[in-house]
């Protein structure tokens, strides 16, 4: 199992801003799809703990990830296990015991979200432009991953200002997908 600390800043953007950024950074031909399949207990214990458990599929690659809040607001601790396609499909269809990621629960696939993403280096980090599709909804966001939280925040604020983007705090992708299925129940 691989563990890392992720430092990121995000903002919701409009469809027009998303399209303008893709064009400005010449990324029209670099968009790829990734689908997040979220797992939880039937009574949503992980959601209540603010823990995300997902399998992310990019092409024929699958990665099981546990994501928890870090010490700082824009920080998350991630633990990963890379899966073979056959393993991933079995977990998606049958669920599994999450003890393999130190979570003492039997979990099942509860919802999913597909993101069409492109990325580009920017200053000391990486910018991601996302269009997410889930349960009839579409939304857009910009994400900036960095290794230094202070400099990253400064650069992100500057990026937003240079592109006339008003900061709008995003809701976690997992929570957006969860809200759709919970509202249907």
């Amino acid at each position: 199992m691989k563990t890392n600390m992720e430092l990121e800043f995000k903002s919701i953007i409009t469809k027009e801003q998303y399209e303008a950024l893709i064009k400005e950074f010449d990324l029209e031909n670099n968009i790829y799809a990734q689908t997040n399949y979220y797992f939880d207990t039937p009574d949503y214990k992980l959601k209540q703990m603010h823990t995300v458990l997902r399998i992310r599929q990019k092409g024929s690659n699958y990665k099981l990830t546990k994501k928890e809040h870090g010490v700082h607001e824009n920080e998350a601790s991630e633990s990963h296990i890379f899966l073979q396609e056959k393993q991933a499909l079995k977990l998606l269809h049958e669920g599994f015991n999450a003890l393999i990621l130190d979570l003492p629960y039997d979990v099942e696939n509860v919802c999913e979200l597909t993101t069409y993403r492109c990325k580009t280096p920017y200053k000391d980090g990486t910018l991601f432009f996302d269009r997410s599709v889930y349960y009839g909804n579409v939304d857009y966001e910009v994400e900036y991953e960095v290794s230094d939280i202070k400099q990253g925040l400064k650069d992100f604020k500057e990026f937003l200002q240079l592109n006339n983007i008003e900061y709008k705090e995003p809701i976690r992708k997992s929570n957006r997908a969860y809200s759709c299925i919970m509202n249907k129940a």
Side-chain angles (χ1 to χ4, degrees):
M1 178 170 39
K2 179 183 175 199
T3 302
N4 68 292
M5 192 61 66
E6 183 177 73
L7 302 173
E8 60 188 20
F9 300 94
K10 298 180 180 187
S11 179
I12 294 293
I13 57 176
T14 65
K15 177 182 180 183
E16 294 75 21
Q17 289 168 326
Y18 169 83
E19 289 172 349
L21 291 167
I22 298 278
K23 191 170 189 164
E24 177 186 337
F25 286 91
D26 194 26
L27 296 169
E28 296 95 339
N29 297 317
N30 294 303
I31 298 170
Y32 58 93
Q34 62 183 35
T35 300
N36 290 341
Y37 300 95
Y38 297 104
F39 291 80
D40 210 328
T41 62
D43 58 351
Y44 301 109
K45 280 187 174 69
L46 299 181
K47 183 175 182 340
Q48 293 167 25
M49 296 168 33
H50 305 285
T51 297
V52 174
L53 186 60
R54 71 173 183 231
I55 290 178
R56 175 173 284 170
Q57 176 188 4
K58 283 199 292 193
S60 61
N61 296 316
Y62 294 84
K63 180 168 58 170
L64 175 61
T65 299
K66 174 179 76 171
K67 189 170 184 175
E68 301 172 295
H69 283 294
V71 177
H72 302 288
E73 180 183 345
N74 297 90
E75 189 176 78
S77 172
E78 292 187 342
S79 300
H80 309 285
I81 298 173
F82 292 93
L83 304 171
Q84 298 296 319
E85 183 174 18
K86 188 175 179 179
Q87 285 177 291
L89 294 176
K90 182 176 169 55
L91 298 180
L92 284 168
H93 295 295
E94 297 176 11
F96 61 98
N97 186 296
L99 200 55
I100 58 173
L101 284 166
D102 301 322
L103 295 169
Y105 305 109
D106 289 323
V107 296
E108 59 191 39
N109 181 4
V110 294
C111 58
E112 64 186 69
L113 176 145
T114 297
T115 298
Y116 299 90
R117 168 175 268 194
C118 55
K119 65 182 181 178
T120 187
Y122 182 78
K123 298 206 176 197
D124 293 329
T126 304
L127 280 170
F128 297 88
F129 306 118
D130 292 349
R131 176 174 64 94
S132 295
V133 179
Y134 52 102
Y135 305 102
N137 297 291
V138 180
D139 57 45
Y140 305 85
E141 71 183 348
V142 58
E143 179 179 317
Y144 186 46
E145 283 191 12
V146 297
S147 57
D148 180 287
I149 199 156
K150 286 184 182 180
Q151 185 62 45
L153 178 59
K154 181 178 179 244
D155 291 343
F156 187 62
K157 286 180 176 179
E158 181 182 285
F159 169 82
L160 295 178
Q161 185 177 20
L162 287 171
N163 289 281
N164 296 315
I165 298 171
E166 179 184 340
Y167 174 77
K168 293 180 187 147
E169 185 172 349
I171 297 169
R172 263 182 160 175
K173 284 182 175 86
S174 59
N175 286 342
R176 290 181 237 167
Y178 271 92
S179 69
C180 290
I181 59 157
M182 292 175 98
N183 289 335
K184 288 182 182 179

